[in-house]
Amino acid sequence: MELKEYLPVLNDLSEEDRLVLEKSAIRKKLKNRTIIHNGIEDCSGLFIIVNGEVRVYTISDKGKEITIYRLFDRDICLFSATCMLKNIQFDLIIETQCDTDAYFIPADIYKNIMAKSAPLANFTNELISSRFTEVMWLLDQILWKSFDKRLASFLLDESAIEGSEILKITHEEIGNHLGNPREVVTRMLKYFQNEGMVKLHRGLIELIDIKRLKKI
């Protein structure tokens, strides 16, 4: 497929600007656990996922991770090009979670066209608004929801993403997503198991009672 299949705003640009963006785009196949972007000083450019999964997360001074959001097929990552966003800086790490196929558009080229193209500027603002909405949702979860609710929600979301009720994920990985120590995750999962909602295996979590998890 052509780039415009993944970046529909190209149809709204002038032919000249569209051609510049299309010619600048580089398609890359990235291995699992590839770091695409690492911190404020890194500006790898905007990228569009053709297929795969990417995790956007941050790490505290004490080394604790928390997932900000995840991106999947046809999603666009803007914060890997924060150098082109005036007064917006995020110290984020962006990493593939499986083998991922993506287009990369250099930040300087995208920024130059955005400065003169209202359609691209509007599209970019909509992207920023969408990501900020996700960040605010995360803050709401952390500040106001108890950990059992957050964990139940995560397990259900992961099941939907994987299309399976058997999840290949460790307690530590869940802790990294949710920003909690592995021990806290283990205790809550054991509580869920005692209540008959999940069954724990080595490296696996089987969801037994979906209805009760949804109720939580």
Side-chain angles (χ1 to χ4, degrees):
M1 289 188 179
E2 297 180 3
L3 180 63
K4 63 182 180 182
E5 295 291 331
Y6 302 94
L7 193 62
V9 71
L10 288 178
N11 294 318
D12 300 325
L13 305 185
S14 68
E15 183 176 0
E16 179 185 358
D17 290 341
R18 177 178 59 81
L19 287 173
V20 170
L21 277 180
E22 287 179 336
K23 289 180 180 179
S24 72
I26 301 171
R27 191 162 177 174
K28 295 182 180 180
K29 293 187 181 296
L30 307 170
K31 294 293 186 181
N32 183 26
R33 303 299 180 186
T34 297
I35 299 291
I36 298 173
H37 173 87
N38 191 358
I40 294 173
E41 301 304 321
D42 190 3
C43 192
S44 50
L46 177 138
F47 71 89
I48 306 159
I49 301 173
V50 176
N51 57 72
E53 180 183 346
V54 167
R55 177 186 176 220
V56 180
Y57 64 100
T58 188
I59 302 178
S60 72
D61 292 340
K62 296 182 179 180
K64 185 170 72 173
E65 297 181 10
I66 186 167
T67 298
I68 307 300
Y69 54 80
R70 288 187 285 177
L71 301 172
F72 301 93
D73 297 4
R74 294 181 176 270
D75 279 337
I76 298 171
C77 187
L78 187 64
F79 291 140
S80 54
T82 51
C83 59
M84 72 180 188
L85 304 174
K86 187 177 180 181
N87 298 326
I88 296 180
Q89 290 187 330
F90 288 99
D91 196 5
L92 300 175
I93 298 171
I94 303 174
E95 179 183 39
T96 59
Q97 299 298 284
C98 62
D99 290 349
T100 298
D101 186 5
Y103 281 106
F104 284 78
I105 298 177
D108 57 341
I109 292 176
Y110 191 93
K111 182 179 180 180
N112 289 338
I113 295 177
M114 184 175 66
K116 61 179 181 177
S117 171
L120 192 60
N122 291 336
F123 172 76
T124 305
N125 288 334
E126 289 175 3
L127 270 181
I128 294 172
S129 296
S130 174
R131 297 302 172 225
F132 270 121
T133 298
E134 295 183 58
V135 171
M136 293 308 296
W137 178 87
L138 175 65
L139 284 175
D140 179 72
Q141 296 288 305
I142 294 172
L143 292 173
W144 309 117
K145 288 201 173 182
S146 58
F147 183 63
D148 60 336
K149 293 180 180 180
R150 293 178 60 217
L151 180 57
S153 178
F154 176 83
L155 294 175
L156 292 169
D157 287 345
E158 197 69 14
S159 176
I161 291 168
E162 298 296 331
S164 173
E165 293 177 2
I166 298 178
L167 309 180
K168 296 180 180 180
I169 191 167
T170 66
H171 299 187
E172 184 173 3
E173 288 172 331
I174 295 174
N176 288 340
H177 279 298
L178 299 179
N180 291 86
R182 177 183 55 80
E183 295 78 7
V184 174
V185 175
T186 297
R187 283 199 299 269
M188 189 59 69
L189 284 173
K190 286 182 177 178
Y191 168 75
F192 283 0
Q193 180 172 250
N194 292 338
E195 292 294 309
M197 291 181 281
V198 305
K199 188 172 183 180
L200 304 179
H201 309 273
R202 183 179 294 276
L204 297 173
I205 300 171
E206 183 178 359
L207 308 190
I208 302 296
D209 195 334
I210 298 292
K211 287 184 178 179
R212 288 190 66 191
L213 288 170
K214 288 182 177 179
K215 188 175 180 180
I216 290 177

